[in-house]
Amino acid sequence: MASAVSLLLLSSPRPLHRRPSGLLLSSPHRGALLSPPGPAEVPLRRRLLAAAPPRASNNNDNSGAVDAPDRLVAAVAYLYPFLDGAHHGRFLLAQFPFFSALLRPLAPAARLFHSSPLTPFLLFLTLYFAVVRNQQAFSRFVRFNAMQAVVLDVLLIFPDLLAQSFAPSGGVGFEIFQSMESTVFLFLLVSLVYGSGACLLGKTPRLPIVADAAERQVM
């Protein structure tokens, strides 16, 4: 194969000629590339260079797209799990009266919430079926936050069962039980402040533990 290729190269009737380098420089297209831009091209190039690249959107920042009624409904939804689990803070409220004074504005809502044993159950049904599953009446922003509140309230079953079955009267067991109750209450309080505050600002809060579960339930 190599000998055949060499024979073809040697038997070529006409030698190969290279184009003079001056032709490349004298080409009208080459001159157009090397020539400075005209006065009409300068403003266009400046506009292209000055154009800022698009900023990446933040999925948590919906302040320009969420209406005020949706913000209010989503913020109020976080009151449901807090009021349902407020009894876990009895030890913390007794030790630190500051929390009692801080939560005093919620006293009317707490009295209304505990006015009947059926009220928590009816609110649960209302949030889930009338808000979360109602895609025509409420936006996804409202339904996602309502679902987070519902999931958070469902998780309260575990500390409630533990409090009913494990209630020591003293010793190390009572201290552990007291710490557990205070931790549950503080988590509910932080979820209320963070969730409601973010909703009022038009942003989507993602609570730990419950956000992924709420995401799977909301279309």
Side-chain angles (χ1 to χ4, degrees), residues 2 41 52-53 55 70 83 102 106-107 114 133 137 150 155 189 197 200 206 216:
E41 299 178 1
R55 298 179 59 186
D70 289 346
L83 294 177
L102 182 65
L106 299 179
H114 296 287
R133 293 302 180 185
V150 169
L155 291 179
L189 181 60
L200 292 177
R206 294 188 62 86
R216 290 191 294 268

Side-chain angles (χ1 to χ4, degrees), residues 198-218:
C199 289
L200 292 177
L201 294 177
K203 299 180 179 181
T204 303
R206 294 188 62 86
L207 300 179
I209 303 174
V210 303
D212 293 337
E215 193 76 38
R216 290 191 294 268
Q217 294 294 326
V218 178

Side-chain angles (χ1 to χ4, degrees), residues 4-219:
V5 174
S6 60
L7 288 176
L8 289 175
L9 293 177
L10 292 175
S11 62
S12 179
R14 286 185 292 181
L16 298 177
H17 297 281
R18 294 185 179 178
R19 179 177 294 180
S21 58
L23 294 178
L24 183 60
L25 295 176
S26 61
S27 174
H29 301 286
R30 181 65 176 180
L33 293 175
L34 296 178
S35 60
E41 299 178 1
V42 175
L44 178 60
R45 294 188 180 183
R46 288 180 179 177
R47 289 196 298 268
L48 293 176
L49 292 176
R55 298 179 59 186
S57 59
N58 185 3
N59 294 332
N60 292 332
D61 190 0
N62 303 318
S63 57
V66 182
D67 297 332
D70 289 346
R71 300 184 189 187
L72 183 60
V73 173
V76 172
Y78 288 99
L79 279 174
Y80 170 63
F82 177 78
L83 294 177
D84 196 18
H87 59 277
H88 292 286
R90 57 187 183 273
F91 300 110
L92 190 66
L93 295 177
Q95 294 178 1
F96 303 97
F98 168 75
F99 286 100
S100 299
L102 182 65
L103 300 175
R104 190 170 291 119
L106 299 179
R111 287 193 294 267
L112 181 62
F113 184 85
H114 296 287
S115 60
S116 172
L118 293 177
T119 302
F121 180 69
L122 293 177
L123 285 178
F124 176 86
L125 296 179
T126 302
L127 278 177
Y128 186 74
F129 290 104
V131 179
V132 176
R133 293 302 180 185
N134 194 351
Q135 301 183 20
Q136 289 76 21
F138 296 98
S139 63
R140 191 182 187 280
F141 178 82
V142 175
R143 293 186 292 111
F144 174 76
N145 286 283
M147 192 63 210
Q148 280 201 129
V150 169
V151 174
L152 186 60
D153 185 74
V154 170
L155 291 179
L156 289 177
I157 296 176
F158 298 102
D160 288 342
L161 291 176
L162 188 60
Q164 294 176 3
S165 59
F166 179 73
S169 57
V172 179
F174 178 75
E175 295 180 359
I176 296 175
F177 175 73
Q178 184 177 354
S179 300
M180 183 199 69
E181 291 283 277
S182 300
T183 302
V184 173
F185 177 77
L186 288 176
F187 181 74
L188 293 174
L189 181 60
V190 171
S191 299
L192 172 64
V193 174
Y194 168 64
S196 299
C199 289
L200 292 177
L201 294 177
K203 299 180 179 181
T204 303
R206 294 188 62 86
L207 300 179
I209 303 174
V210 303
D212 293 337
E215 193 76 38
R216 290 191 294 268
Q217 294 294 326
V218 178
M219 296 294 185

